[in-house]
Amino acid sequence: MTSWRKWAVVPAAALVLTACGNGTEEPTTTEDPAEDTAEPTTEDTEEPTDEEPAEPEPDEGAEEEGEEIARADADLVIWADDTRAPILEPLAEEFGEAEGISVAVQEVPFDQIRDLVSVQGPAGQGPDVFIGAHDWLGELAENGVVEPLDLGGAEGDYLEVATQAFSYDGTNYGLPYSIENIALVRNTELAPEAAETLEDMVEVGTSAVDAGDADLPVAWQQDPGDPFHNYWVVTGAGGYVFGQQDDGSYDAEDVGIDSEGGLRAAEIFGELAEQGVVNSDVTYDVMIDTFASGRAPFAVTGPWALPDFGDVDYVVEPLPSVDGNPAGPFVGVQGVMVSAFAENSLAATTFVLDYLGQEEVQLELYEAGGRPPALQSAFDAVSDDPDVAGFGAAGETGRPMPAIPEMGAVWTAWTDAYQNIFAGNDPEAAFEEAAEQIRNTIDAG
Amino acid sequence: MSQQQTAGRGASDASRPAGGPNGRRPSREPFADRLAARLGSNSLTGLFFKLVFLGVVNGLALYAVSTLLPLRAWTPLLVVVVATLALDAVYLSRRTLPLKFLIPGTIALLVFQVYPVLYTAYIGFTNYGTGNVLTQDQAVDRILAGATRVPEGATRFRSTPLVDDADGTLALLLTDPDGDVFLGTADGLESIDEGDVAGEGRDIVVADRFRPLTLGEAQQREDEVLDFAVPISDERAAEFDEGVNAEAISVQTFTTAAVAVTALELDEDTGNIVDTVEGVVYEPVDGVYTAEDGATLRPGFRTVVGFDNYEQVLTSPAIRGPFFRVFVWTFAFAMLSMLTTFVMGLALAMALNDPRIKGRRLTRSLLIIPYALPSFMTALIWRGLLNQSFGPVNRMFGLDVPWLSSQAYAGALPKFSILLVNLWLGFGYMFLINTGALQAIPSDLTEAAKVDGASGWQAFRNVTLPLLLVAVGPLLIASFAFNFNNFNVVFLLTGGGPPIGGTPTPAGHTDILISYSYRLAFQGGRGQDFGLAAAVSSIIFLLVAVFSYIGFKRTAVLEEIN
C-alpha cells in the first residue's frame, strides 16, 4: 500500500511544515512589533486608569493578544467591557426599537478597546460607540479616530474635573460617566482618628508597627516605584507633572518634576523611604493582603481595591495634607466616545447624548462599577454612600491625569527616580534626572 | 531555520516510495485507475485521500475568502486565492511530482517567515505610529470634517431634521435658546408661529409640508443630512453669531444644529489644504499637513519616510548613550542563557541516561515541568519569589538580598537573578533534546574509546560531545537567537530595571536590545512609534542573522568530522 502511505504523508508533512513555520517565530524574532508589544503597552502606560491599576492580568493579555474582534452586523455597534455591556444592552435595545435601527453591544476587554479602535476603526471594523478612559484621548485624537462630541451646553451638568478630562486641545470628545481616584483608606480599629496631615499618618502608622499591631505603617503600593500612587505627595508639596494652561489643558513643554515643589516632594519622599513608611517591595497583592488582614492602619488605594478588603472596618477619607497644603491625586475619568469611523454617526451621537446622559443611566453604571458618577446630579444622589463620598472628597483636589501622548515618557523615568530613591540615592538628584530624561525623550520623539 | 531543514529532509525521504513507476500493476478497475492517473494519483485510495485533503484546503480557503471579502483586504485575499489554486494545480497534475512535497512548505515559509520579515522591514521605512495611523485620504477627510467648528458664543439650536414626502426635500425645525422656533430650509431661515406646527411629538407636520425624519431614514441619507446647512442672511447673522463671521447654520447631530464656520478646503490641484479664512497653506510633509510657520493639522497619515527611523536610531542621544552597554549585556545574556541551560540539560540528560539510576521515567517527566509551564507565568511567579521584603526566598532563608533591585556592580545581582530564572525556564528543553541526541549515539563508540584507553572524560570530550553537537548545534543557535530577543523574561521579571542612572533617557541594567527598543518606541514622548520599533527590529534581525550564519558555519565544520 505504498500509495496510501504516500498520501497520508502529505497532509502530515504540510502540518509539520506549518507548525515549523510557527515554531521558528521564536528564534527569528522580527515579528510585527505591534503584536509583540500590544499587551505590555496597555499594561504599562494605561496603568493608572485601568480597572485595577497595578495588578497585571497576564493570562487575559497573553491569550487575547493580537486577537481581532469583528464588528457585529448591526446599524449601531457599541463596545463595552463585561461590567458595562450588560447595562448598555437594554438601553441600546430600547433605543434601537424606538428609532427603528438594529443595535449590538459587543463585549470587549477594557484594556483592548483603545488599540482596537485605532486599528480596526479605519479599516471599517470598529464600533460606532465605545467606552474608555479619558487618558486614551491623546492617542485617539492624535490618530483621528475619535469624533468630537458637542455636549451642547450640558457641560455644566457634569463634575468639572470630568469635562476637563474629556476635553483635549479645547475640544470635547466624550460623555463622562464615572470618575476614579485614590484616597486614604483607614482601618478604624488601628487608627481611630482621621489623619489630617502626612505627619499624623506617619506617626500613627509607625507607632502601630512599633507596637506590633501592624506589619506596614501604610499599605502603599510601589513595586518598584509608583508615580501614580505617589502623585498626591507631589501636588501637596507644590509640584506637578506638566504645567496646566488656563483652560486646563496640559503643556508638554513645562515639566514640573524638578520644579521647587517637585524637589520638595522628592525630599519628603526620601524621608518617607528612610522611615520605611513606603517600601519599594509592596506590590498590589501585598497591599491588599496587609490591609485586608488588619495589619496596616492605612492604605493608599482606589475603589478597585475595596471588594478585596473583606470584613476590615474602614473609612475612605481624603489624602492627608502635605506641608499644610491639600494633596490631590490623579483623577481618571471614564466615558463614552463616538468613533470617527462610525458607520452611523447620527445614531451614535444621538444615543450617547440623549440616552447615556440620563441620571438613571449614570446611576446604573455606578451600581455596576462602584465608581462615583460623573454627572453632578447622580453624584449627589449617591453621596450618602460613605465610600463614594470619601473618594469624591479625595478627588475634589485632584487633577485629571494628563492625556497628552507625552505622558508616555513620564512613567518609566519617574518610576526609575523612585527606585533610585529607594536605593538610597539623593532624592532631589533622582527627580532632576527624571525631569531631564523626560525632556530628552520628548525632544527625541 | 533548523526546523525547516529537518522538515525538508523528511519531505524528500517521503518522496522515495512515491517515485515508483505507475501503471505496471495489473489493473482490475481500468476506468478508476485511469481517472486516478489523470488526476495525478497512483490508485483510487490515493485519489480519495488527496481529494479529501484538497477539499479541506479549498474549504478553508473559501471560508477565508468569505471573511476577507467584506473586509476589503485585497492583498491577503489574493494570496489565499493564488496559494489555493497553486496547490490544486500541483496536486491534480501528473507532471509536478517534486513540487507536491515542496509547495506546502514553501507556502508556509512565505506566509509565516518571509512575509512578517518583509512587512516589518517595510514598516521600518514608514512613520506608522501614534498620530499617523490613517491613510492620506482618511486623514484629509478627518481634517476637513473637523474644520467645521462652532465658535465660542455662537448660537446652538435644538433641531429636528424634517422631510417633505412629496419630493424628499430636507429642512430643519430649529429652536433657539430663547425658545423661538424657526424653519430652516436650503433657501434660508424663516420664523414660524406655533400655528405652523400641527400635531404632537413624532407626528408633527410643519408648515403643512414637512414631517420629522426618523433616525432610520436619516441613516439612509446620512451624508445629505450631515451636510445640510441653512444659509443665513447678514441681518440674521448679527442676531446669532455674536461677531463670528458665519454664513450658515449646520447640522451638528441628529438633534442639534449650530452656527458654524468652515475654514479648511482641499486644493485638488496641489493636494494642499488651504485655510481660506487665515490664508494659510498646509502642505503634506512626512505624513503631516504642515504650514510654513510649522503649524500642523491633526491627524497625520501613514507614509513612507525613507531612512528617517534609521537616522533617528543612529543620531538620537537616547540611543548613543546606553546603547553599547545594552548591546554587550544582550550578547552576554543570550550566550550565558544558552550555555547554562545547555550544560545543565546535558548533565541531567547524561545522568538519567545511565541505566543504574532508578525511576528515570518519573524523574524525566518531572524535569520537563518548568519547560512545559507558560514562561510568562513562571517569570511572574519568580518575580514574587524574589521580592526583597516579602518574597519566600528571602523569608525562608532569613535573608535580605535585593535580588531584582540591587544597583551595585552594574546590576550584577539582578543580572544573575535573571540568568537563574532563565536557566529554570530553559534547562528542560535542553534536557529533552540532549536526551534524544544521546540515545542516538551508539554506545559501542564510547566503549571502543575506553578499550583504546580513554578516560571517561576523554571519551565524553572527544567522542560523545562532537557527535552530540552535530545534532544539537543548530538548536543551540536557535536558543541563542531566541534569548537574544527574550522580551518576556526581561519585561516581566525586572522590567529592564534597576535603572542605570545618569543616562539621557531611561535605561536599565537588565535591559536587552528588544526591551530597550520597546522603551524607545512605546514609552517615548509621542505615544507608540511602530516605525521606529520596526527599524530597530530590522537591525536586531540583521544582527541575529549574522550571528546565526557564523554559528551554522561552525556546526558545518562539526558535521565534517562526522
Side-chain angles (χ1 to χ4, degrees), chain B residues 319-339:
Chain B
I319 315 244
R320 280 199 316 262
F323 187 82
F324 184 70
R325 61 190 300 168
V326 170
F327 177 74
V328 169
W329 163 241
T330 308
F331 194 85
F333 170 74
M335 214 43 160
L336 289 170
S337 292
M338 186 259 280
L339 285 178

mmCIF file of all heavy atoms in Angstrom, chain B residues 319-339:
data_model
loop_
_atom_site.group_PDB
_atom_site.id
_atom_site.type_symbol
_atom_site.label_atom_id
_atom_site.label_comp_id
_atom_site.label_asym_id
_atom_site.label_seq_id
_atom_site.Cartn_x
_atom_site.Cartn_y
_atom_site.Cartn_z
ATOM 1 N N ILE B 319 19.856 56.742 22.062
ATOM 2 C CA ILE B 319 20.477 55.504 21.610
ATOM 3 C C ILE B 319 21.989 55.570 21.794
ATOM 4 O O ILE B 319 22.618 54.606 22.205
ATOM 5 C CB ILE B 319 20.153 55.277 20.134
ATOM 6 C CG1 ILE B 319 18.693 55.536 19.903
ATOM 7 C CG2 ILE B 319 20.619 53.912 19.706
ATOM 8 C CD1 ILE B 319 17.902 54.395 19.474
ATOM 9 N N ARG B 320 22.568 56.717 21.462
ATOM 10 C CA ARG B 320 24.012 56.817 21.563
ATOM 11 C C ARG B 320 24.465 56.531 22.993
ATOM 12 O O ARG B 320 25.487 55.918 23.208
ATOM 13 C CB ARG B 320 24.466 58.214 21.146
ATOM 14 C CG ARG B 320 24.530 58.397 19.654
ATOM 15 C CD ARG B 320 25.401 59.585 19.325
ATOM 16 N NE ARG B 320 25.130 60.714 20.192
ATOM 17 C CZ ARG B 320 24.350 61.735 19.867
ATOM 18 N NH1 ARG B 320 23.790 61.763 18.699
ATOM 19 N NH2 ARG B 320 24.155 62.721 20.690
ATOM 20 N N GLY B 321 23.669 57.003 23.965
ATOM 21 C CA GLY B 321 24.067 56.848 25.358
ATOM 22 C C GLY B 321 24.256 55.399 25.782
ATOM 23 O O GLY B 321 25.362 54.849 25.711
ATOM 24 N N PRO B 322 23.190 54.767 26.224
ATOM 25 C CA PRO B 322 23.353 53.438 26.821
ATOM 26 C C PRO B 322 23.387 52.296 25.818
ATOM 27 O O PRO B 322 23.464 51.145 26.212
ATOM 28 C CB PRO B 322 22.121 53.306 27.713
ATOM 29 C CG PRO B 322 21.146 54.294 27.205
ATOM 30 C CD PRO B 322 21.819 55.246 26.296
ATOM 31 N N PHE B 323 23.371 52.606 24.517
ATOM 32 C CA PHE B 323 23.208 51.538 23.540
ATOM 33 C C PHE B 323 24.294 50.471 23.650
ATOM 34 O O PHE B 323 24.018 49.286 23.639
ATOM 35 C CB PHE B 323 23.194 52.112 22.119
ATOM 36 C CG PHE B 323 22.855 51.102 21.067
ATOM 37 C CD1 PHE B 323 21.534 50.774 20.815
ATOM 38 C CD2 PHE B 323 23.841 50.475 20.341
ATOM 39 C CE1 PHE B 323 21.211 49.842 19.866
ATOM 40 C CE2 PHE B 323 23.520 49.538 19.383
ATOM 41 C CZ PHE B 323 22.200 49.221 19.142
ATOM 42 N N PHE B 324 25.539 50.904 23.796
ATOM 43 C CA PHE B 324 26.636 49.953 23.743
ATOM 44 C C PHE B 324 26.566 48.962 24.901
ATOM 45 O O PHE B 324 26.692 47.761 24.707
ATOM 46 C CB PHE B 324 27.983 50.680 23.728
ATOM 47 C CG PHE B 324 29.145 49.744 23.576
ATOM 48 C CD1 PHE B 324 29.349 49.087 22.368
ATOM 49 C CD2 PHE B 324 30.005 49.505 24.630
ATOM 50 C CE1 PHE B 324 30.414 48.200 22.226
ATOM 51 C CE2 PHE B 324 31.066 48.617 24.490
ATOM 52 C CZ PHE B 324 31.262 47.968 23.293
ATOM 53 N N ARG B 325 26.314 49.492 26.113
ATOM 54 C CA ARG B 325 26.281 48.565 27.245
ATOM 55 C C ARG B 325 25.067 47.650 27.172
ATOM 56 O O ARG B 325 25.128 46.491 27.591
ATOM 57 C CB ARG B 325 26.354 49.300 28.577
ATOM 58 C CG ARG B 325 25.217 50.265 28.852
ATOM 59 C CD ARG B 325 25.502 51.106 30.059
ATOM 60 N NE ARG B 325 25.686 50.297 31.263
ATOM 61 C CZ ARG B 325 26.171 50.771 32.399
ATOM 62 N NH1 ARG B 325 26.536 52.030 32.479
ATOM 63 N NH2 ARG B 325 26.277 50.001 33.455
ATOM 64 N N VAL B 326 23.958 48.175 26.637
ATOM 65 C CA VAL B 326 22.788 47.314 26.449
ATOM 66 C C VAL B 326 23.129 46.201 25.461
ATOM 67 O O VAL B 326 22.800 45.030 25.659
ATOM 68 C CB VAL B 326 21.577 48.133 25.954
ATOM 69 C CG1 VAL B 326 20.448 47.218 25.522
ATOM 70 C CG2 VAL B 326 21.098 49.086 27.029
ATOM 71 N N PHE B 327 23.843 46.561 24.402
ATOM 72 C CA PHE B 327 24.207 45.583 23.394
ATOM 73 C C PHE B 327 25.108 44.494 23.982
ATOM 74 O O PHE B 327 24.893 43.295 23.778
ATOM 75 C CB PHE B 327 24.916 46.277 22.226
ATOM 76 C CG PHE B 327 25.389 45.324 21.174
ATOM 77 C CD1 PHE B 327 24.474 44.745 20.311
ATOM 78 C CD2 PHE B 327 26.715 44.999 21.064
ATOM 79 C CE1 PHE B 327 24.893 43.854 19.353
ATOM 80 C CE2 PHE B 327 27.145 44.103 20.109
ATOM 81 C CZ PHE B 327 26.239 43.521 19.246
ATOM 82 N N VAL B 328 26.099 44.920 24.763
ATOM 83 C CA VAL B 328 27.022 43.949 25.358
ATOM 84 C C VAL B 328 26.264 42.997 26.280
ATOM 85 O O VAL B 328 26.448 41.781 26.238
ATOM 86 C CB VAL B 328 28.151 44.682 26.122
ATOM 87 C CG1 VAL B 328 28.953 43.693 26.958
ATOM 88 C CG2 VAL B 328 29.048 45.415 25.150
ATOM 89 N N TRP B 329 25.383 43.563 27.103
ATOM 90 C CA TRP B 329 24.624 42.718 28.017
ATOM 91 C C TRP B 329 23.696 41.781 27.253
ATOM 92 O O TRP B 329 23.524 40.613 27.629
ATOM 93 C CB TRP B 329 23.858 43.570 29.031
ATOM 94 C CG TRP B 329 22.746 42.819 29.724
ATOM 95 C CD1 TRP B 329 21.424 43.117 29.681
ATOM 96 C CD2 TRP B 329 22.869 41.657 30.556
ATOM 97 N NE1 TRP B 329 20.708 42.214 30.422
ATOM 98 C CE2 TRP B 329 21.579 41.297 30.971
ATOM 99 C CE3 TRP B 329 23.937 40.865 30.967
ATOM 100 C CZ2 TRP B 329 21.310 40.199 31.783
ATOM 101 C CZ3 TRP B 329 23.677 39.756 31.781
ATOM 102 C CH2 TRP B 329 22.384 39.443 32.181
ATOM 103 N N THR B 330 23.105 42.261 26.155
ATOM 104 C CA THR B 330 22.227 41.401 25.365
ATOM 105 C C THR B 330 22.987 40.174 24.887
ATOM 106 O O THR B 330 22.524 39.036 24.991
ATOM 107 C CB THR B 330 21.693 42.162 24.138
ATOM 108 O OG1 THR B 330 21.131 43.378 24.573
ATOM 109 C CG2 THR B 330 20.651 41.350 23.403
ATOM 110 N N PHE B 331 24.188 40.430 24.375
ATOM 111 C CA PHE B 331 25.012 39.348 23.860
ATOM 112 C C PHE B 331 25.376 38.381 24.994
ATOM 113 O O PHE B 331 25.236 37.157 24.866
ATOM 114 C CB PHE B 331 26.282 39.937 23.233
ATOM 115 C CG PHE B 331 27.024 38.957 22.381
ATOM 116 C CD1 PHE B 331 26.656 38.779 21.056
ATOM 117 C CD2 PHE B 331 28.056 38.208 22.910
ATOM 118 C CE1 PHE B 331 27.324 37.857 20.270
ATOM 119 C CE2 PHE B 331 28.724 37.279 22.122
ATOM 120 C CZ PHE B 331 28.362 37.104 20.802
ATOM 121 N N ALA B 332 25.792 38.962 26.127
ATOM 122 C CA ALA B 332 26.168 38.126 27.265
ATOM 123 C C ALA B 332 24.966 37.322 27.763
ATOM 124 O O ALA B 332 25.074 36.124 28.052
ATOM 125 C CB ALA B 332 26.720 39.004 28.386
ATOM 126 N N PHE B 333 23.834 37.977 27.838
ATOM 127 C CA PHE B 333 22.620 37.321 28.324
ATOM 128 C C PHE B 333 22.248 36.137 27.434
ATOM 129 O O PHE B 333 21.988 35.024 27.916
ATOM 130 C CB PHE B 333 21.475 38.346 28.365
ATOM 131 C CG PHE B 333 20.123 37.754 28.620
ATOM 132 C CD1 PHE B 333 19.765 37.308 29.879
ATOM 133 C CD2 PHE B 333 19.195 37.656 27.591
ATOM 134 C CE1 PHE B 333 18.520 36.761 30.110
ATOM 135 C CE2 PHE B 333 17.952 37.120 27.813
ATOM 136 C CZ PHE B 333 17.607 36.663 29.077
ATOM 137 N N ALA B 334 22.286 36.358 26.120
ATOM 138 C CA ALA B 334 21.894 35.294 25.204
ATOM 139 C C ALA B 334 22.895 34.145 25.260
ATOM 140 O O ALA B 334 22.526 32.970 25.307
ATOM 141 C CB ALA B 334 21.790 35.838 23.782
ATOM 142 N N MET B 335 24.173 34.498 25.276
ATOM 143 C CA MET B 335 25.226 33.485 25.300
ATOM 144 C C MET B 335 25.158 32.673 26.592
ATOM 145 O O MET B 335 25.146 31.438 26.563
ATOM 146 C CB MET B 335 26.582 34.221 25.215
ATOM 147 C CG MET B 335 27.656 33.501 24.476
ATOM 148 S SD MET B 335 27.042 32.779 22.986
ATOM 149 C CE MET B 335 28.478 32.560 22.072
ATOM 150 N N LEU B 336 25.094 33.389 27.736
ATOM 151 C CA LEU B 336 25.109 32.695 29.023
ATOM 152 C C LEU B 336 23.838 31.862 29.211
ATOM 153 O O LEU B 336 23.893 30.761 29.736
ATOM 154 C CB LEU B 336 25.261 33.706 30.164
ATOM 155 C CG LEU B 336 26.642 34.352 30.252
ATOM 156 C CD1 LEU B 336 26.636 35.503 31.242
ATOM 157 C CD2 LEU B 336 27.680 33.308 30.655
ATOM 158 N N SER B 337 22.696 32.396 28.767
ATOM 159 C CA SER B 337 21.458 31.634 28.886
ATOM 160 C C SER B 337 21.590 30.337 28.115
ATOM 161 O O SER B 337 21.209 29.262 28.587
ATOM 162 C CB SER B 337 20.277 32.432 28.335
ATOM 163 O OG SER B 337 20.017 33.529 29.160
ATOM 164 N N MET B 338 22.128 30.445 26.906
ATOM 165 C CA MET B 338 22.275 29.263 26.066
ATOM 166 C C MET B 338 23.228 28.269 26.725
ATOM 167 O O MET B 338 22.913 27.078 26.841
ATOM 168 C CB MET B 338 22.777 29.710 24.693
ATOM 169 C CG MET B 338 22.841 28.633 23.664
ATOM 170 S SD MET B 338 24.522 28.068 23.479
ATOM 171 C CE MET B 338 25.187 29.344 22.421
ATOM 172 N N LEU B 339 24.358 28.761 27.189
ATOM 173 C CA LEU B 339 25.368 27.858 27.752
ATOM 174 C C LEU B 339 24.888 27.207 29.047
ATOM 175 O O LEU B 339 25.015 25.996 29.215
ATOM 176 C CB LEU B 339 26.673 28.629 28.005
ATOM 177 C CG LEU B 339 27.480 28.952 26.752
ATOM 178 C CD1 LEU B 339 28.713 29.761 27.113
ATOM 179 C CD2 LEU B 339 27.872 27.670 26.020
#
